[in-house]
């Protein structure tokens, strides 16, 4: 695709090695953005990928996150787009299992690895963006934030908290030109997290992984289909572009009709 919606924009993608992170990075670049990728799961200081260098960074290390953003300030580089796709292995917090099988320690994992780290990268981006008088911070959530799905207490709480955080930051930082916007997506079957979810939740209902996917598609979405990571990445481009320059504090509802609002 040769659509330069993001030409001359610098995009910082955290959690870039995951399926969604890599697709978002690829799509941002295709639309003209200069991408700066990082991820905790990097050997050494940095490693090469098909679309560029990925730096090692733990988004729960506030000192390291501040240092990363200070490099952009030192180099006099704009920070136009920030999206943090960091996450934990869903098996670590018993995702897809009954709430009674989730310990407090497990419950807190995504609230840190998926929500708290969003706060840290947004907080580090704000001083640069506010000085520029422009910039967009994009959060990714899911339909879990609204529907209260069973067998997913930790991630449901995390995504709902992320949406609340988004509104608070958008309200506070909007006067200085900093937009904070979300993309709420339905399950993406090409994501390893969703692959795990369908397999685990399916077993709770006596279904195979593929049967669970079909059940969600046919019974939960009005459009009778599910988005891919590429579909979600395309919506991220919209949120990041000047086409959405008057949008902040809101969630782009990419739930294919699971959530109707």
């Amino acid at each position: 695709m040769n659509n330069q919606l993001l030409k001359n924009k610098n995009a910082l993608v955290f959690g870039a090695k995951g399926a969604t992170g890599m697709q978002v990075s690829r799509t941002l670049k295709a639309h003209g953005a200069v991408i700066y990728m990082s991820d905790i799961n990097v050997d050494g200081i940095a490693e090469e990928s098909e679309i560029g260098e990925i730096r090692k960074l733990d988004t729960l290390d506030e000192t390291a996150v501040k240092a990363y953003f200070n490099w952009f300030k030192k180099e006099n580089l704009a920070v136009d787009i920030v999206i943090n796709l960091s996450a934990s292995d869903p098996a670590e917090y018993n995702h897809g299992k009954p709430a009674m099988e989730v310990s407090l320690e497990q419950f807190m994992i995504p609230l840190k690895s998926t929500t708290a780290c969003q706060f840290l990268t947004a907080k580090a981006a704000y001083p640069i963006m506010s000085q520029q008088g422009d910039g967009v911070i994009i959060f990714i959530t899911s339909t879990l934030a609204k529907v209260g799905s069973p067998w997913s207490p930790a991630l449901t709480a995390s995504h709902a908290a992320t949406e609340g955080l988004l509104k608070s930051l958008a309200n506070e930082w909007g006067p200085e030109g900093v937009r904070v916007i979300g993309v709420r997506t339905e399950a993406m079957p090409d994501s390893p997290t969703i692959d795990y979810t369908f397999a685990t939740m399916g077993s709770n209902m006596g279904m195979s992984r593929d049967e669970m996917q079909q059940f969600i598609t046919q019974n939960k979405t009005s459009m009778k289909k599910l988005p891919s990571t590429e579909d979600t990445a395309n919506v991220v481009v919209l949120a990041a572009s000047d086409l959405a320059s008057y949008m902040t504090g809101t969630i782009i509802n990419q739930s294919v009709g699971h959530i109707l609002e």
Side-chain angles (χ1 to χ4, degrees):
M1 183 180 294
N2 187 24
N3 190 337
Q4 300 295 290
L5 280 173
L6 304 178
K7 186 177 180 180
N8 298 324
K9 301 281 190 181
N10 291 333
L12 282 59
V13 183
F14 301 91
K17 283 192 71 174
T20 307
M22 186 57 68
Q23 185 60 61
V24 165
S25 299
R26 186 181 296 112
T27 305
L28 291 171
K29 185 175 183 178
H31 282 269
V34 178
I35 56 170
Y36 296 87
M37 299 178 290
S38 64
D39 197 286
I40 191 172
N41 296 310
V42 168
D43 293 328
I45 297 174
E47 63 183 49
E48 288 298 322
S49 74
E50 62 188 84
I51 54 174
E53 183 182 78
I54 305 176
R55 303 284 296 181
K56 186 176 184 68
L57 183 67
D58 179 357
T59 53
L60 281 173
D61 183 336
E62 187 167 10
T63 299
V65 170
K66 285 182 178 179
Y68 186 75
F69 278 90
N70 282 340
W71 179 84
F72 288 88
K73 186 175 182 179
K74 179 181 177 181
E75 295 296 320
N76 199 30
L77 291 172
V79 174
D80 303 298
I81 303 160
V82 166
I83 181 165
N84 187 341
L85 295 154
S86 301
S88 298
D89 181 346
E92 292 182 3
Y93 49 91
N94 262 7
H95 186 58
K97 299 291 182 68
M100 293 301 293
E101 297 180 22
V102 178
S103 69
L104 176 60
E105 182 180 15
Q106 289 171 323
F107 179 79
M108 295 301 296
I109 289 172
L111 284 164
K112 291 179 66 177
S113 65
T114 305
T115 301
C117 68
Q118 298 275 2
F119 177 62
L120 291 184
T121 50
K123 186 178 170 185
Y126 166 74
I128 298 175
M129 289 184 172
S130 61
Q131 187 174 28
Q132 295 168 176
D134 184 56
V136 58
I137 300 166
I138 303 169
F139 293 168
I140 298 287
T141 66
S142 75
T143 54
L144 291 177
K146 298 290 285 188
V147 302
S149 174
W151 310 313
S152 57
L155 199 58
T156 296
S158 171
H159 284 183
T162 299
E163 292 194 4
L165 172 64
L166 178 156
K167 294 174 185 177
S168 176
L169 298 182
N171 201 13
E172 182 174 344
W173 295 347
E176 292 161 287
V178 180
R179 295 193 298 120
V180 188
I181 191 168
V183 177
R184 183 195 298 134
T185 184
E186 184 49 276
M188 298 172 286
D190 59 332
S191 160
T193 295
I194 298 305
D195 186 59
Y196 172 92
T197 301
F198 284 159
T200 306
M201 288 190 172
S203 68
N204 293 339
M205 299 175 67
M207 298 181 184
S208 69
R209 180 251 180 250
D210 291 342
E211 288 171 337
M212 186 65 193
Q213 178 175 331
Q214 186 68 9
F215 175 83
I216 295 295
T217 303
Q218 294 301 315
N219 295 283
K220 300 295 184 180
T221 71
S222 64
M223 296 181 72
K224 310 303 179 188
K225 60 183 180 180
L226 295 176
S228 66
T229 55
E230 183 177 4
D231 294 324
T232 298
N234 287 332
V235 180
V236 168
V237 169
L238 169 64
S241 76
D242 290 340
L243 295 176
S245 61
Y246 284 81
M247 296 178 69
T248 194
T250 191
I251 310 290
I252 299 176
N253 181 16
Q254 198 204 210
S255 69
V256 289
H258 191 168
I259 307 296
L260 298 171
E261 60 182 14

